[in-house]
Amino acid sequence: MADAAVEKGFFASKGGSLIMEWLFTIDHKRIGMLYLWCILLFFIIGVFLGLAIRLELFTPGRTIMGPQAYNGIFTLHGVIMIFLVVIPSIPAAFGNIFLPLQLGAEDVAFPRLNIFSFWLYIIGGAVALISLFTGGGPPDTGWTFYVPFSAVSTTNVSVAVAGVFILGFSSILTGLNFIVTIHRMRAPGLTWLRLPLFPWALYATAWIQVLATPILSITVLLIAVERLLGMGIFDPARGGDPILYQHLFWIYSHPAVYIMILPAMGVVSDIIPVFCRKPIFGYKTILGSSMAIAFAGSLVWAHHMFVSGMSDTAVMIFSFLTFVVAVPSAVKVFNWLSTMYKGSIRPEPPLIYALGFIFLFAMGGITGLVLGSAGTDMHVHDTYFVVGHFHYVMFGGTGMGLFASMHYWFPKIYGRMYNKKQATWAALILVVGINGLYFPMYLLGLAGMPRRYYDYLPQYTTLHQLSTYGSWITFVGLALMIWNLWHSRKHGRPIGKNPWGAATLEWTLPSPPPTHNFDEEPVVTHGPYHYEGVIIEEEVSHE
Amino acid sequence: MSNDSAHSDHHGPGYTLFVIVWGALLVCTALTVYAAEIDLGFLNVALALSIATTKAALVTFFFMHLKYENLTFKLMVLACFVILAIFIGLTFFDTVYRPVG
Amino acid sequence: MYPQIFSAASEVDRAFLIILGFAVFILILVTVVMLWFLYRYHYKKNPDAAQIKGNVWAEIIWMGLPTVIVLGLFWTGWTSFKAMRTIPEGAMVVKAEGRMWSWKFTYENGKTSPELYIPIDTPIKLELSARDVIHSFYVPAMRVKWDMVPGMDTDAWIQSDSLGEYDIFCAEYCGLKHSDMITLLHVQTAEDFQAWLDSSPADPEGKPRGLSLMEEYGCFDCHAMDGTDDVAPPLNDIAGKDRVVVLANGTKKTVKADYDYLRAAILTPGVEMVDGWGDEMPPYEGDLSEDDVKAIVNYMLGKDESGAPLTVAPHPGQQMAEAEGCLSCHSTDGTETERAPSFKGLFGATIKVSRFGKSTTVVADDMYLQQSIVAPSKWVSDGYEDSMPPYDDLDEETVAGLVSFIKSLGKEAQ
Amino acid sequence: MSEHPSDYTGAKMGMWLFLFTEVILFGGLFVLYAVTLQRYPAEFHEASKLLSLTMGTVNTIVLITSSLFAVLAVTALQKADIRKAKLFLLLTILLAAVFLVDKYFEWGAKIHHGIYPGGEEMASFKPGMQAFFNLYYLMTGLHGLHIVIGMSVLGWVYWLIEKGKCTPEHFVALENGGLYWHLVDLIWIYLFPLYYLIA
Ligand code: HEA
Ligand code: HEA
Ligand code: CUA
Ligand SMILES: [Cu+2]
């Protein structure tokens, strides 16, 4: 019996009902798994909505739905993808599971708070979904909820922003928990400079979550107040200023894009050295750039507002700062590439996904420069160029980062290995598909096609159709990947503790890790990328 | 992880200190009300805010025991206020320089 | 990219070239290096990794160099922006107003138009404003985009070095028909422009003034005239009907749609709202002169401007359709001939067409109708031959008149 | 698995972080306030005159004093004087209630005069003054909500002491409750001059 329990690790039932054991668990690994499943579920919903958008745009005019439905669908697509998928994705799922393990800790600092933020996530998600079926129907404002439109729209905006409000708190509490965990729960010998880069990235992310998200809360609260009491806080006739709404919104939402990307960068920084068998190049620079991005990320929000009617001085300042933030990202890319230099590279699936990440993130990030430059942004702002940019960084960046983590840690979580060949193929198809899907959007944007358009002029038809074909290729890659992982969960080849030969603490545990993590508190004596003497344990050991 | 005895050697300061700080806060309040009576133009706002900040500092350092916390805590508080200052400050680059009209 | 007709925008295009050029270069570099390393240092070729932990100089270089480059990019971007924002002294002023979901351009002599006409090679200052929510004035051919914010005055400037017609888009999401908020920029010779500017907005061929006003003010963007609910209640046959309205304090009452009711519904729509509809209609108070309101209300009441009952005049487009010979193939009463589909009920219908030889369906909206007249071969309705001649020599007004005539023959009731 | 065995510093750190989120939450409104003040200094001046300086000052003193009692409660508990700690805590909550009563009368008077969002008097104000009062209601309203939350938290801590779950050895609950209460005070320290004193 003891044996079976070890084999199932933290999955092993302790005899309670499923609900009690999972929904009320305070084990960080279970909470992480709950997040993972919910995030994947929402991701699939979001993806179907994305697919519906693409089908509608296959021809000008009406293809499969009317304008009201379209506007609702892209709003929902944006809200789900941003607030329910990419913001929680890596930190809430993999952060929860692996942060304490990488620190050599028993759990996060506040386990009850942890499950509470999961409930908030579920409640927030449920409220957001309820807004679809009640009141005036699905909100049609876009995920940015700009006033005054969001104040006059007859759709169910109030309920939707209530959902966003709750989700914000879920995110804040996760961040808070992680900061305290990293400060207080590192194993003996695990100094700040021996911390793997994934916890470092989570640390930087957590600060953004704590210090930026409350602005979102107050902003959506103001929308609700505006709708329910009609105060006119953003109404010029009553002394308000609609552009201030945009400031408040982006004060949160720009830093939020770094909430999305930093954890993915952290994962990639952890994966690359493992498969190159050499330490990460410039460890301190990478962790420094994470913190720099987190800080400088809060200085650039108004680059979303270059043509909003704000002052030209502000345009200059924010454009300047935007370019400055691009540098730490560039530094990371160069350091990753240098890590490969003279390595002994094993192209296993996690590495393929990580390299896919670098390529796609660079494709997206570099067009951020076009957007950050005031003159060029004037042309491409609110066109498909922007849509292309953020899909590359969010899907190609965060999405691929999430997939990389899934493939990297899958054997740890399930104690089994997926089909590596299929995983690699899925990665390659995804890279091709994502380019097919989003590259035409750059061209559309340069040609002047505005975003959030239900209908378009005939001259844009060809590019829209190319993009739609691309979405089908993406679909194939995604389906193959998910099927492979789903199947291998139960039927994969059993695998040993440390199939990749990684040097961080989670790989010293059995797979899946036991409920109590470490039998005795580990003592750390070297850095996280020290591969000397680390054995690749492919086989299940029978000690 | 701190060992459990860590906080038994945490001797907070005594009652008197806090009563003194309270007295100082009341004096500040009186001062700021008085200062508002005299017209200093825009300086009024600046003065009121400096007094408020003094009071806020008294509250954080003494009532909230920040004075007795270690450097990490102090840096964190600093980070929070720096960020808030950035949010307010950078917004002014827009609103102050908007063409009037 | 789009052809470019604005001299100040050439700096923007140069900035595009520089930044995109840099982007392509760095992307190729990153990708090639990545793939080369992947190949060169494959573990079979290179079984022992060199334990390099970093290199201070390398890192300083790739922190410093990008910083310098990036600041250069910032500067090109900013100067090009500055050029677009520096409005020349003495530019001709045109007021542009955005509203759900149409445009109104007002010239210095008081003439208004839903499309923008400008003379060639003349700097134009656009004073932008919005009536209800935020819209954005966007001319891709000029790289100009600027938001129109309710309650705020913003401006932009344009100038064209080429004659022709260019698209104007609304680039800020503004609700249901955001994507229909498209209009045209006509660049004319100085003489043509002057002639256009001086022509009085007189009713084309006896169209009632109330109707042209309603078209001009965008009423039909929200209201239909065929009894169907659009974004707003339909306005045909409204005269004398009982309306249930909701007052500001939430109570409901029933009123008759008489002159005063309709007048108030236009000028201050938020005060008495039709039950079941939201407060989306912008108030037209101060925008419409008392005369104009009178004309509109009388038109809705089925009277002419003086208040006398109207004899239904034939639709102005009918004459055009006859003159251009459309009616020799198309019927207007629903009878399908072998040669061409009927106009009746065409507008709004979902029809099967073949496009480049592939069959799809489209909705016969404004754009479709317009395209079907100018370039009929693009979409060929199923069951018909590609036998209609392209009418690409018609002027804009005539095409618009024809489209509006087809629309007047009813919307497909679905 | 139990809650992590009382990591005192960790718990306090968590509380501080939470306070930061509160600061930033109000910070959003401070952004609005700052910008609007800069735009309509004269109107703010005028509108501020309509507020009762006496009531504002009284409330400031009340809140500062309640903050004092909160910190004294912590000190008393640290010194293992449970009886005193409970007394101070009660006084804190009592003064909070006084604050709310004062606020009730203040708001009531304004609303009575039609100065509230949607009120007739308010509608006749200049835009800048309307903005002043909109923000006034928003910020003092949100602050009032925090007073209520703070009272509940302190009440709960009182109950913990009563039950012997918050003791001279494990007083972090009281300390954190106190921290929260000081924050509420801190925000008022700024609201007071910004609304009452710029006349
Ligand atoms: C994961 C999310 C994510 C990330 C990481 C980024 C990263 C960046 N973004 Fe993006 N952005 C979004 C998500 C994201 N963005 C979203 C969602 C929107 C639209 C919101 C909406 O309106 O709905 C948006 C919109 C947006 C705009 C507004 C456009 C508009 O509406 O007009 C701008 C403008 O400056 C911008 C800029 C940038 C920049 C400069 C970066 C930089 O951080 C990028 C840095 C990366 C690189 C530079 C590439 C890698 C480096 C190299 C290959 C080395 C070589 C590089 C150099 C030497 C510089 N973004
Ligand atoms: C991480 C975030 C994220 C992700 C992953 C995506 C993914 C996709 N998005 Fe995204 N999108 C946003 C975030 C994201 N989006 C945001 C924030 C907006 C702005 C909203 C706004 O304007 O307010 C937006 C807007 C947006 C638009 C612009 C709408 C407009 O402006 O009018 C378009 C248009 O094509 C689009 C398309 C897609 C597509 C095709 C996908 C692809 O995911 C689709 C690719 C995948 C597939 C095609 C696979 C389909 C899979 C299945 C069918 C199921 C598979 C089956 C099994 C697994 C068993 N999105
Ligand atoms: Cu007007 Cu979009
Ligand atoms: Cu941004």
Side-chain angles (χ1 to χ4, degrees):
Chain A
M1 200 206 98
D3 247 27
V6 169
E7 221 176 276
K8 286 188 165 175
F10 69 98
F11 289 105
S13 163
K14 271 162 244 65
S17 74
L18 207 61
I19 303 244
M20 282 309 284
E21 279 213 345
W22 281 86
L23 281 187
F24 290 86
T25 180
I26 52 170
D27 178 1
H28 65 101
K29 299 178 287 303
R30 291 194 169 191
I31 295 174
M33 289 308 289
L34 287 173
Y35 270 118
L36 185 62
W37 285 116
C38 294
I39 286 164
L40 287 178
L41 188 74
F42 282 119
F43 179 69
I44 303 237
I45 298 177
V47 147
F48 271 108
L49 293 170
L51 204 65
I53 297 178
R54 286 308 336 153
L55 286 177
E56 171 52 43
L57 293 177
F58 195 68
T59 59
R62 184 193 175 95
T63 311
I64 57 166
M65 60 178 104
Q68 187 69 42
Y70 181 82
N71 294 347
I73 282 185
F74 79 68
T75 302
L76 192 63
H77 170 76
V79 168
I80 288 187
M81 285 301 197
I82 299 257
F83 295 112
L84 287 162
V85 180
V86 282
I87 287 185
S89 63
I90 299 181
F94 290 103
N96 255 319
I97 305 177
F98 290 106
L99 175 66
L101 297 184
Q102 292 198 330
L103 298 182
E106 219 172 279
D107 205 318
V108 292
F110 308 111
R112 280 177 235 280
L113 194 66
N114 203 13
I115 188 70
F116 180 62
S117 43
F118 174 74
W119 289 339
L120 286 182
Y121 173 75
I122 291 299
I123 296 169
V127 171
L129 290 183
I130 285 171
S131 76
L132 303 182
F133 307 109
T134 52
D140 63 346
T141 56
W143 79 281
T144 48
F145 299 111
Y146 272 18
V147 293
F149 183 72
S150 62
V152 299
S153 169
T154 49
T155 55
N156 217 352
V157 177
S158 309
V159 179
V161 297
V164 170
F165 184 84
I166 299 171
L167 289 169
F169 272 96
S170 164
S171 175
I172 289 176
L173 294 180
T174 304
L176 186 157
N177 217 336
F178 283 3
I179 295 181
V180 179
T181 308
I182 295 174
H183 268 281
R184 305 292 307 161
M185 314 218 8
R186 280 169 288 130
L190 188 52
T191 57
W192 283 97
L193 290 183
R194 285 181 186 163
L195 215 50
L197 287 164
F198 179 58
W200 263 113
L202 289 179
Y203 184 68
T205 311
W207 273 108
I208 313 181
Q209 287 176 301
V210 168
L211 291 184
T213 317
I215 296 277
L216 175 73
S217 312
I218 193 72
T219 312
V220 296
L221 209 65
L222 288 175
I223 296 182
V225 167
E226 197 67 27
R227 288 180 68 85
L228 302 177
L229 306 178
M231 269 195 178
I233 307 156
F234 300 114
D235 176 359
R238 284 179 274 178
D241 179 348
I243 294 184
L244 279 182
Y245 169 85
Q246 300 177 20
H247 277 295
L248 287 182
F249 183 83
W250 292 114
I251 283 178
Y252 165 71
S253 294
H254 181 82
V257 310
Y258 296 116
I259 298 180
M260 304 170 199
I261 201 71
L262 279 171
M265 290 169 154
V267 174
V268 169
S269 311
D270 263 10
I271 289 178
I272 291 182
V274 172
F275 296 95
C276 298
R277 310 311 297 158
K278 76 191 263 277
I280 188 95
F281 191 94
Y283 169 84
K284 285 189 194 160
T285 324
I286 294 197
L287 77 85
S289 67
S290 291
M291 297 307 285
I293 289 177
F295 173 73
S298 58
L299 300 173
V300 304
W301 71 83
H303 65 205
H304 297 266
M305 303 162 53
F306 286 156
V307 306
S308 67
M310 75 173 176
S311 78
D312 289 354
T313 315
V315 172
M316 181 177 82
I317 303 275
F318 281 102
S319 170
F320 173 79
L321 292 170
T322 301
F323 276 98
V324 174
V325 227
V327 174
S329 301
V331 167
K332 277 197 184 199
V333 171
F334 297 139
N335 278 8
W336 290 329
L337 291 184
S338 316
T339 307
M340 295 172 73
Y341 174 67
K342 292 202 170 163
S344 175
I345 301 175
R346 283 175 306 136
E348 303 270 16
L351 184 70
I352 303 296
Y353 280 94
L355 297 184
F357 165 94
I358 297 180
F359 175 66
L360 294 171
F361 170 70
M363 285 285 282
I366 208 97
T367 54
L369 299 179
V370 178
L371 297 171
S373 134
T376 45
D377 182 62
M378 197 171 182
H379 179 47
V380 290
H381 168 73
D382 266 345
T383 65
Y384 264 80
F385 195 89
V386 178
V387 180
H389 159 72
F390 67 70
H391 280 99
Y392 265 107
V393 282
M394 290 202 295
F395 196 2
T398 313
M400 285 303 262
L402 180 71
F403 302 158
S405 347
M406 278 160 51
H407 287 86
Y408 180 55
W409 279 312
F410 184 93
K412 176 56 43 189
I413 294 176
Y414 289 106
R416 292 175 186 277
M417 185 55 85
Y418 43 80
N419 180 329
K420 288 185 184 176
K421 219 183 214 134
Q422 277 179 21
T424 307
W425 272 111
L428 295 177
I429 298 174
L430 271 173
V431 171
V432 172
I434 290 176
N435 275 302
L437 175 52
Y438 300 122
F439 197 78
M441 293 191 181
Y442 285 149
L443 304 178
L444 278 171
L446 289 175
M449 166 79 205
R451 67 191 276 209
R452 296 174 175 172
Y453 261 32
Y454 160 71
D455 192 0
Y456 53 85
L457 295 182
Q459 68 253 33
Y460 301 116
T461 313
T462 320
L463 286 169
H464 269 302
Q465 294 189 341
L466 275 179
S467 168
T468 305
Y469 295 136
S471 77
W472 298 341
I473 303 179
T474 314
F475 163 74
V476 174
L478 211 55
L480 178 61
M481 179 191 88
I482 292 185
W483 183 83
N484 182 15
L485 293 182
W486 178 263
H487 177 81
S488 313
R489 229 172 32 126
K490 290 262 163 66
H491 307 287
R493 172 169 57 91
I495 197 93
K497 261 186 191 177
N498 193 357
W500 312 127
T504 43
L505 284 174
E506 77 270 32
W507 300 100
T508 61
L509 292 173
S511 317
T515 304
H516 276 284
N517 296 357
F518 299 91
D519 284 338
E520 60 197 80
E521 200 170 40
V523 177
V524 181
T525 52
H526 54 72
Y529 308 109
H530 186 89
Y531 296 108
E532 243 163 85
V534 176
I535 317 157
I536 300 184
E537 289 179 67
E538 283 259 23
E539 296 305 318
V540 188
S541 60
H542 297 281
E543 308 153 21
Chain B
M1 271 163 269
S2 75
N3 67 33
D4 264 1
S5 64
H7 53 92
S8 49
D9 52 52
H10 175 108
H11 305 289
Y15 299 121
T16 20
L17 176 71
F18 294 125
V19 176
I20 293 172
V21 171
W22 172 74
L25 285 170
L26 290 187
V27 170
C28 283
T29 308
L31 210 66
T32 187
V33 172
Y34 172 73
E37 305 282 290
I38 33 182
D39 187 15
L40 299 169
F42 194 72
L43 275 183
N44 274 111
V45 180
L47 187 63
L49 283 181
S50 340
I51 298 181
T53 305
T54 314
K55 287 163 77 180
L58 286 175
V59 171
T60 25
F61 277 94
F62 293 97
F63 285 4
M64 299 174 88
H65 300 166
L66 188 60
K67 183 165 183 289
Y68 314 104
E69 304 289 1
N70 58 29
L71 187 63
T72 312
F73 277 68
K74 288 178 184 149
L75 286 179
M76 286 182 171
V77 174
L78 182 71
C80 172
F81 284 98
V82 166
I83 290 288
L84 181 59
I86 288 175
F87 289 167
I88 297 177
L90 288 194
T91 309
F92 273 101
F93 277 115
D94 169 14
T95 55
V96 172
Y97 294 97
R98 286 241 199 111
V100 277
Chain C
M1 220 148 72
Y2 222 73
Q4 200 269 111
I5 57 170
F6 181 23
S7 55
S10 59
E11 288 194 41
V12 171
D13 281 10
R14 208 186 56 210
F16 264 116
L17 212 65
I18 295 175
I19 301 179
L20 285 174
F22 170 73
V24 171
F25 166 76
I26 206 95
L27 268 174
I28 293 180
L29 190 76
V30 164
T31 315
V32 167
V33 167
M34 192 165 88
L35 292 178
W36 166 248
F37 284 173
L38 195 59
Y39 165 79
R40 173 63 190 79
Y41 301 114
H42 192 273
Y43 73 104
K44 284 188 183 141
K45 287 205 189 63
N46 196 33
D48 291 306
Q51 298 300 308
I52 309 166
K53 290 201 165 164
N55 180 323
V56 179
W57 280 110
E59 292 191 76
I60 288 179
I61 289 175
W62 64 60
M63 264 187 264
L65 205 59
T67 310
V68 174
I69 294 177
V70 138
L71 293 186
L73 298 184
F74 155 71
W75 192 249
T76 39
W78 165 247
T79 47
S80 66
F81 181 81
K82 206 62 204 154
M84 304 282 278
R85 295 299 303 151
T86 316
I87 303 174
E89 294 285 321
M92 176 181 146
V93 176
V94 179
K95 288 202 175 72
E97 187 189 58
R99 57 196 173 200
M100 287 171 168
W101 291 283
S102 59
W103 304 82
K104 180 174 143 193
F105 298 99
T106 311
Y107 292 80
E108 275 158 330
N109 69 354
K111 186 180 171 85
T112 64
S113 158
E115 297 185 351
L116 179 58
Y117 290 80
I118 61 166
I120 191 170
D121 287 331
T122 314
I124 315 282
K125 176 181 176 182
L126 292 161
E127 294 182 347
L128 306 173
S129 63
R131 169 163 290 271
D132 31 43
V133 300
I134 304 179
H135 304 274
S136 190
F137 175 86
Y138 180 31
V139 187
M142 300 205 179
R143 321 286 185 252
V144 168
K145 179 181 294 120
W146 208 253
D147 280 7
M148 325 169 91
V149 187
M152 249 176 79
D153 299 316
T154 53
D155 48 28
W157 77 286
I158 55 174
Q159 174 176 353
S160 173
D161 56 21
S162 315
L163 295 174
E165 283 169 4
Y166 304 93
D167 297 317
I168 297 176
F169 295 128
C170 172
E172 181 62 61
Y173 177 71
C174 54
L176 186 66
K177 295 190 180 174
H178 166 55
S179 62
D180 286 352
M181 200 167 154
I182 300 179
T183 189
L184 281 176
L185 165 69
H186 305 261
V187 185
Q188 300 178 314
T189 59
E191 302 80 57
D192 285 355
F193 174 74
Q194 202 54 45
W196 175 84
L197 192 63
D198 292 338
S199 69
S200 73
D203 346 337
E205 287 114 79
K207 196 196 262 187
R209 204 162 78 87
L211 178 61
S212 16
L213 281 168
M214 287 178 78
E215 280 169 357
E216 183 183 332
Y217 280 88
C219 309
F220 301 130
D221 289 328
C222 299
H223 297 276
M225 287 301 261
D226 57 3
T228 56
D229 287 351
D230 197 331
V231 190
L235 293 179
N236 54 328
D237 301 330
I238 192 172
K241 287 242 175 77
D242 280 343
R243 314 298 296 158
V244 180
V245 292
V246 187
L247 304 181
N249 60 13
T251 55
K252 292 184 185 174
K253 68 171 188 187
T254 307
V255 292
K256 219 173 226 15
D258 54 10
Y259 186 93
D260 291 335
Y261 166 78
L262 291 175
R263 182 175 169 279
I266 298 168
L267 295 181
T268 53
V271 178
E272 289 184 346
M273 288 211 296
V274 187
D275 195 18
W277 297 89
D279 189 11
E280 264 128 33
M281 174 160 163
Y284 282 86
E285 195 155 28
D287 196 33
L288 282 166
S289 70
E290 198 52 45
D291 247 19
D292 290 352
V293 183
K294 199 168 147 198
I296 294 179
V297 173
N298 274 330
Y299 174 75
M300 278 194 273
L301 293 174
K303 299 176 180 162
D304 74 9
E305 233 171 297
S306 61
L310 201 68
T311 48
V312 185
H315 193 281
Q318 175 138 21
Q319 293 149 6
M320 300 179 193
E322 277 163 7
E324 299 296 342
C326 317
L327 300 186
S328 58
C329 298
H330 298 271
S331 82
T332 56
D333 56 2
T335 50
E336 308 274 316
T337 66
E338 238 177 75
R339 304 176 86 173
S342 173
F343 283 160
K344 189 172 172 68
L346 176 58
F347 179 65
T350 309
I351 39 190
K352 285 209 173 74
V353 293
S354 69
R355 178 164 162 63
F356 303 133
K358 274 173 282 178
S359 60
T360 55
T361 57
V362 293
V363 176
D365 53 7
D366 278 276
M367 211 171 51
Y368 170 81
L369 292 178
Q370 182 203 326
Q371 288 293 315
S372 300
I373 297 167
V374 182
S377 306
K378 271 197 194 159
W379 286 283
V380 180
S381 300
D382 280 8
Y384 297 98
E385 308 242 301
D386 181 13
S387 59
M388 175 165 162
Y391 282 85
D392 46 10
D393 53 341
L394 295 184
D395 62 13
E396 200 56 33
E397 256 95 308
T398 316
V399 176
L402 289 169
V403 170
S404 118
F405 170 58
I406 297 173
K407 282 164 82 172
S408 76
L409 291 172
K411 198 169 187 167
E412 177 86 335
Q414 279 160 337
Chain D
M1 210 195 272
S2 65
E3 192 82 36
H4 199 263
S6 62
D7 175 10
Y8 170 70
T9 313
K12 236 177 6 183
M13 187 184 281
M15 191 64 202
W16 272 99
L17 290 170
F18 182 71
L19 297 186
F20 296 168
T21 71
E22 294 278 7
V23 169
I24 303 281
L25 187 78
F26 275 94
L29 293 174
F30 279 115
V31 171
L32 289 183
Y33 179 92
V35 166
T36 323
L37 168 65
Q38 181 259 327
R39 190 169 296 160
Y40 301 107
E43 283 88 343
F44 268 45
H45 196 77
E46 202 177 317
S48 167
K49 284 194 187 129
L50 297 177
L51 296 180
S52 159
L53 180 57
T54 328
M55 286 195 143
T57 314
V58 168
N59 254 351
T60 308
I61 295 170
V62 167
L63 214 51
I64 288 179
T65 313
S66 89
S67 228
L68 171 70
F69 286 133
V71 72
L72 292 183
V74 178
T75 313
L77 195 63
Q78 278 172 344
K79 293 189 194 299
D81 191 342
I82 294 185
R83 209 185 49 84
K84 243 195 209 146
K86 278 160 66 178
L87 176 74
F88 284 137
L89 206 50
L90 277 184
L91 282 171
T92 313
I93 299 175
L94 186 76
L95 285 177
V98 172
F99 180 94
L100 284 182
V101 170
D102 182 293
K103 197 88 250 161
Y104 171 79
F105 283 115
E106 215 188 330
W107 274 37
K110 287 276 143 333
I111 292 174
H112 184 74
H113 286 108
I115 307 180
Y116 59 91
E120 326 82 67
E121 177 71 14
M122 177 122 155
S124 67
F125 284 171
K126 280 176 267 181
M129 287 175 75
Q130 294 193 28
F132 179 90
F133 279 107
N134 277 334
L135 288 171
Y136 167 77
Y137 279 108
L138 270 173
M139 292 177 87
T140 56
L142 191 62
H143 181 258
L145 188 68
H146 279 77
I147 298 259
V148 175
I149 298 172
M151 284 168 76
S152 332
V153 169
L154 293 177
W156 173 67
V157 172
Y158 185 87
W159 178 82
L160 284 183
I161 300 179
E162 188 80 38
K163 288 273 158 198
K165 288 186 179 165
C166 181
T167 61
E169 290 77 41
H170 294 282
F171 52 83
V172 72
L174 176 60
E175 191 163 6
N176 280 349
L179 280 177
Y180 187 83
W181 191 250
H182 298 308
L183 181 91
V184 173
D185 183 25
L186 203 71
I187 286 169
W188 182 258
I189 284 179
Y190 280 96
L191 291 185
F192 172 59
L194 289 179
Y195 283 101
Y196 296 85
L197 294 183
I198 57 163

